[in-house]
């Protein structure tokens, strides 16, 4: 179990760690989009980090709800809408949670996925973040571990595998869908950034016993 303060520290730590991937994600996005996904995802994580610094309530759900509102109000584009909506839904799912364990992680991932599918109208196989998020959900739901860092590591591995698999399919929704088959051979930036973020969270949680 992770306390609220431990969750805050992990979110801050992961946001810092993800800065190293900004150029990589921009370059990946440039092959089918605007070339700014690294910057946009960095802005999303900065809003999450600021929410973690500002939040004073007792429930973990309130922290994620605040992060979602900050993203929706401060980050433009499709990624901002999707992530803002996802974290607001996570906030609702964890409204009564004062600690974060594997069961809460599973609830959070399922709630976030539900919001992203509803807002983005995408499914697995469409070459979006859903292709990483859905496998992460399944990995946590099927895990036998009670250790949050271990469950996050398993979720990250599933998400990274899902993101890698998007290289084999054409984009079917979003801006890059106009390129169709020309997107084959390139991983989806949103799926890639989600997997990298889960990896960073797992490392940060593993380094923090609180």
């Amino acid at each position: 179990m992770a306390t609220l303060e431990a969750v805050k520290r992990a979110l801050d730590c992961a946001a810092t760690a993800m800065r190293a991937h900004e150029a990589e994600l921009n370059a990946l996005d440039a092959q089918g989009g605007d070339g700014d996904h690294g910057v946009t995802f960095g802005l999303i994580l900065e809003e999450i980090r600021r929410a973690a610094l500002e939040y004073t309530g007792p429930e973990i759900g309130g922290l994620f709800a605040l992060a979602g509102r900050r993203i929706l109000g401060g980050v433009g584009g499709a990624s901002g809408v999707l992530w803002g909506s996802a974290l607001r839904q996570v906030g609702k799912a964890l409204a009564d949670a004062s600690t974060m364990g594997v069961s809460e992680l599973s609830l959070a991932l399922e709630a976030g996925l539900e919001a992203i599918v509803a807002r983005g109208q995408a499914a697995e196989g469409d070459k979006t973040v859903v292709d990483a998020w859905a496998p992460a959900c399944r990995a946590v739901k099927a895990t036998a571990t009670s250790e949050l860092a271990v469950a996050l590591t398993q979720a990250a591995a599933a998400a990274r595998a899902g993101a890698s698999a998007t290289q084999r399919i054409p984009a079917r929704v979003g801006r890059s869908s106009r390129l169709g088959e020309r997107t084959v051979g390139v991983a989806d930036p949103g799926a890639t950034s989600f997997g990298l973020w889960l990896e960073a969270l797992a490392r940060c949680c593993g380094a923090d016993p609180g």
Side-chain angles (χ1 to χ4, degrees):
M1 285 283 186
T3 64
L4 174 59
E5 289 305 313
V7 171
K8 289 180 178 182
R9 290 193 296 269
L11 292 172
D12 184 26
C13 171
T16 299
M18 284 296 295
R19 291 171 189 160
H21 297 288
E22 182 176 308
E24 169 192 348
L25 292 170
N26 284 342
L28 188 61
D29 187 38
Q31 298 183 64
D34 294 332
D36 61 355
H37 182 71
V39 172
T40 301
F41 197 62
L43 293 174
I44 289 169
L45 296 185
E46 181 60 17
E47 294 298 347
I48 295 174
R49 190 186 71 82
R50 287 178 180 173
L53 293 173
E54 293 175 8
Y55 184 67
T56 59
E59 290 85 20
I60 288 175
L63 166 59
F64 285 101
L66 174 59
R69 292 194 299 271
R70 288 195 63 102
I71 292 167
L72 287 170
V75 182
S79 292
V81 172
L82 291 177
W83 273 89
S85 300
L87 293 189
R88 287 183 65 183
Q89 193 69 19
V90 170
K92 293 178 182 179
L94 300 182
D96 299 321
S98 58
T99 58
M100 174 74 82
V102 176
S103 61
E104 288 79 15
L105 175 61
S106 183
L107 282 174
L109 288 172
E110 292 284 353
L113 178 62
E114 179 183 340
I116 282 180
V117 168
R119 291 304 298 264
Q121 296 296 298
E124 277 190 89
D126 285 341
K127 202 183 183 94
T128 71
V129 67
V130 174
D131 289 298
W133 204 306
C137 286
R138 290 193 293 269
V140 175
K141 191 173 183 179
T143 189
T145 186
S146 60
E147 297 293 327
L148 181 60
V150 175
L152 274 167
T153 299
Q154 293 171 350
R160 292 283 277 155
S164 180
T166 62
Q167 296 179 76
R168 300 193 294 270
I169 55 178
R172 296 189 176 94
V173 299
R175 185 183 296 272
S176 60
S177 64
R178 71 190 188 281
L179 299 175
E181 294 293 332
R182 283 180 287 172
T183 63
V184 173
V186 179
D188 178 69
T192 301
S193 61
F194 179 67
L196 289 169
W197 182 61
L198 287 182
E199 283 184 344
L201 279 174
R203 288 194 300 270
C204 291
C205 283
D208 188 344

